[in-house]
Amino acid sequence: MRSLLLPLALLAGCATVPAPTPAPTPSATLPTAVVTASGETAAVATANADAADDPAVWRNAADPAASLIIGTDKKAGLYVYGLDGKVRDFSDAGRVNNVDVANHKGRAIVAASDRNDNASAHVALFGLDPATAKLTVLGRVPAGAGEAYGLCLYAAPDALYAFVVLKDGTINQLALDLSGPAPSARIVRTMKLGTQSEGCVVDPRTRRLYVAEEDVGLWRFDARAGGATTPVKIAAADGREIVADAEGVAIAAEGRGNGGYLVVSSQGDNAYAVYRLSDDRYVGRFRIGAGAFGATSETDGIEIATGNFGPQFPGGLMIAQDGDNAPAAQNFKLVDWRKVKAALGLR
């Protein structure tokens, strides 16, 4: 086309070829604070691959320093770490992507989104022994047609629910039954976002489910089995608060009622956006920068647990997957939650 336009322009004398309209550029991100990690886990065994993905925390109320971290290697299985970052156990569960843990009827139950069959989603279920830090396989339950991607648990008064986010944005709510010799589940409700989604978390205090739609932004739903299925948009992945992909989502519950903060991984610029739970208002963003344990980049899953976690984390703990832990394989970074609050001026 260019070879034809140039001779025509010369023949036309003063005629000129219009300049192309420049492509729109993303809005500049907002000011971003920097904190440093206070610890890290051992690297996952799968090297030279995008492998580590999502963490969860089981808090030992009797001895907070003895709390445990569960993390996925989405190529191989589930790790259990101590707060010192050392591996305490590994379960070769295969392609498990997201993980969560809940206390249910006196037991610590671990659930992971099972992608071993891309056409048929499952939830892999485990019992966690706090004394030995060992996982016991309970079984797998079907979670609908499609590829299992995101997962979060909701310990409601009536049942233990698992929300399974399929890769196409479908969200199936499963009621789990762990009373028999093998677990079972039934889909009680289905919700839908328009495109690929993954990270999710439930605030049991307000019965709200939060889900990240990767290229679109952050949404919330009613988490109750009989609740409305219409989502409410909290924030857009517009290059300011969140730079796509919107990935992991975590809640820092504080105070009574709906106090605390919602954090989402802004993967596109290696940062984290923070929203106030009481009114969904944006309150700031931060990065985990270089320090004794290195920075984080391209973070997938995150987790935050408030309260006392022993001398190293007396004011709460944030865990973030690190997409580039070179020269070692990927791992999870541990951050003192007090550092984040101080950096953003949060009370």
Side-chain angles (χ1 to χ4, degrees):
M1 179 65 73
R2 186 175 179 180
S3 62
L4 294 174
L5 287 175
L6 185 56
L8 288 172
L10 292 172
L11 288 171
C14 63
T16 59
V17 179
T21 303
T25 56
S27 301
T29 55
L30 295 169
T32 305
V34 178
V35 301
T36 56
S38 299
E40 65 181 341
T41 68
V44 299
T46 303
N48 302 315
D50 180 21
D53 194 88
D54 189 47
V57 179
W58 178 83
R59 184 174 184 271
N60 188 326
D63 184 4
S67 298
L68 300 169
I69 299 166
I70 304 99
T72 60
D73 177 336
K74 60 188 176 187
K75 312 290 186 184
L78 279 177
Y79 285 91
V80 180
Y81 305 94
L83 295 188
D84 59 2
K86 295 180 180 179
V87 176
R88 302 288 301 277
D89 192 27
F90 175 76
S91 178
D92 57 350
R95 298 176 64 236
V96 288
N97 198 52
N98 279 196
V99 66
D100 203 357
V101 61
N103 292 317
H104 177 65
K105 297 184 177 180
R107 304 166 67 191
I109 302 298
V110 173
S113 53
D114 188 322
R115 303 168 68 189
N116 286 295
D117 180 351
N118 285 351
S120 181
H122 285 76
V123 175
L125 293 163
F126 308 82
L128 174 64
D129 185 339
T132 63
K134 302 298 183 185
L135 291 168
T136 300
V137 175
L138 300 179
R140 297 167 74 236
V141 296
E147 183 177 352
Y149 215 45
L151 176 140
C152 49
L153 293 175
Y154 172 31
D158 61 321
L160 178 62
Y161 294 100
F163 289 94
V164 179
V165 183
L166 305 183
K167 200 168 186 178
D168 69 355
T170 301
I171 306 161
N172 289 332
Q173 182 173 1
L174 279 66
L176 302 176
D177 185 351
L178 305 175
S179 61
S184 62
R186 59 186 178 89
I187 298 175
V188 297
R189 192 170 60 137
T190 295
M191 296 161 282
K192 188 73 172 72
L193 292 174
T195 61
Q196 184 168 308
S197 307
E198 182 179 1
C200 70
V201 68
V202 175
D203 187 344
R205 305 170 306 166
T206 57
R207 303 179 296 278
R208 286 179 171 177
L209 165 70
Y210 299 87
V211 183
E213 187 177 3
E214 294 187 1
D215 291 335
V216 177
L218 186 63
W219 302 86
R220 64 173 166 85
F221 293 86
D222 189 330
R224 294 173 293 184
T229 59
T230 303
V232 175
K233 195 169 189 178
I234 296 175
D238 60 2
R240 287 178 55 77
E241 298 168 10
I242 302 171
V243 180
D245 292 347
E247 285 283 344
V249 187
I251 285 175
E254 297 183 347
R256 297 183 178 181
N258 59 353
Y261 303 94
L262 178 71
V263 181
V264 58
S265 170
S266 173
Q267 191 182 72
D269 72 332
N270 307 323
Y272 311 89
V274 185
Y275 301 85
R276 194 165 59 191
L277 284 167
S278 60
D279 57 7
D280 298 337
R281 186 173 70 86
Y282 169 80
V283 296
R285 61 198 319 274
F286 67 97
R287 291 188 178 94
I288 301 171
F293 299 96
T296 59
S297 61
E298 298 182 352
T299 294
D300 285 321
I302 60 175
E303 179 66 293
I304 300 171
T306 53
N308 176 22
F309 280 83
Q312 192 174 9
F313 305 100
L317 168 66
M318 176 178 175
I319 307 168
Q321 182 261 6
D322 185 7
D324 183 4
N325 187 46
Q330 294 179 343
N331 73 346
F332 301 92
K333 299 294 194 283
L334 283 57
V335 177
D336 184 340
W337 177 242
R338 297 175 305 171
K339 289 184 179 181
V340 176
K341 294 183 67 177
L344 297 180
L346 305 178
R347 295 183 178 181

